[in-house]
Amino acid sequence: EAGVTQSPTHLIKTRGQQATLRCSPISGHTSVYWYQQALGLGLQFLLWYDEGEERNRGNFPPRFSGRQFPNYSSELNVNALELEDSALYLCASSPGDLGGWQPQHFGDGTRLSIL
Amino acid sequence: AQSVSQHNHHVILSEAASLELGCNYSYGGTVNLFWYVQYPGQHLQLLLKYFSGDPLVKGIKGFEAEFIKSKFSFNLRKPSVQWSDTAEYFCAVNGYSSASKIIFGSGTRLSIRP
């Protein structure tokens, strides 16, 4: 089966701009998760969508937002980009289960570089 | 609040050495526990998981982990490592709650000398 796909692979922006990252989950998966992997900080949870609804959110400012479309694909939007937003952004998907029992399958990530 | 600690940031071993990577978590309830691996240039992959039952969990590539509830630990082990095990390893915990979110440790980089 096709895995989680993310686009673009690499995105270069300048401070103050807006970035949009995209994710297509594995077919049949309804939950999509976004993570930020910043240098030295490990993975940090950003957002969780299931069935088009935001289910949970990590400790990130409101300029990090997203949405999930009816086909379960998802977008992560980052407004007013700051230098510290430079990181690898990972998307993961799992079968919809609000109990969180299902392990997540990860994409290759989008490398966001802020100049 | 949930948290996951991986105390070893970088571990360097020779081939055939035994491996144990520490993982401790903080959560006041039932948890699901995971180990993920990220090989150089690849995406994160599930290594093994614990949901319930036998606390000794066996995963892919000869890895295993033991859930010790009294110590809030889920250490990853492998009796004899190979050069191909060079990767970054992440421990993760997810509380048994519909509002719970998965929390990852900061990762342990494993380097194997051939």
Side-chain angles (χ1 to χ4, degrees), chain A residues 33 35 37 40-45 48 55-59 88 90 98-109, chain B residues 30-32 34 36 38 42-46 49 51 88 90 94-107:
Chain A
Y33 307 78
Y35 298 89
Q37 185 174 1
L41 292 180
L43 279 169
Q44 296 186 79
F45 170 74
W48 169 23
R55 298 298 182 186
N56 211 338
R57 182 184 178 85
N59 296 323
L88 180 68
L90 289 167
L98 295 182
W101 292 105
Q102 301 295 331
Q104 296 166 26
H105 301 260
F106 286 81
D108 291 334
Chain B
T30 305
V31 294
N32 302 327
F34 309 88
Y36 284 91
Q38 186 174 15
Q42 298 186 30
H43 58 265
L44 278 166
Q45 303 169 49
L46 180 67
K49 61 184 186 288
F51 284 175
E88 186 124 14
F90 294 90
N94 181 221
Y96 183 51
S97 161
S98 62
S100 183
K101 60 196 178 199
I102 192 165
I103 302 293
F104 283 84
S106 56

Side-chain angles (χ1 to χ4, degrees), chain B residues 41-111:
Chain B
Q42 298 186 30
H43 58 265
L44 278 166
Q45 303 169 49
L46 180 67
L47 205 51
L48 49 78
K49 61 184 186 288
Y50 171 81
F51 284 175
S52 64
D54 189 344
L56 184 61
V57 179
K58 296 197 182 295
I60 60 171
K61 304 187 180 185
F63 285 91
E64 64 178 33
E66 186 175 10
F67 171 48
I68 303 179
K69 190 174 180 181
S70 60
K71 295 184 178 180
F72 298 92
S73 70
F74 191 55
N75 292 353
L76 181 70
R77 300 194 294 246
K78 186 170 183 178
S80 175
V81 294
Q82 301 171 298
W83 179 79
S84 58
D85 293 325
T86 295
E88 186 124 14
Y89 292 81
F90 294 90
C91 180
V93 61
N94 181 221
Y96 183 51
S97 161
S98 62
S100 183
K101 60 196 178 199
I102 192 165
I103 302 293
F104 283 84
S106 56
T108 297
R109 184 173 296 274
L110 176 64
S111 299

Side-chain angles (χ1 to χ4, degrees), chain A residues 54-76:
Chain A
E54 182 180 300
R55 298 298 182 186
N56 211 338
R57 182 184 178 85
N59 296 323
F60 281 84
R63 57 191 186 83
F64 286 83
S65 65
R67 53 180 173 167
Q68 186 178 33
F69 299 99
N71 66 354
Y72 304 115
S73 66
S74 176
E75 269 183 7
L76 173 69

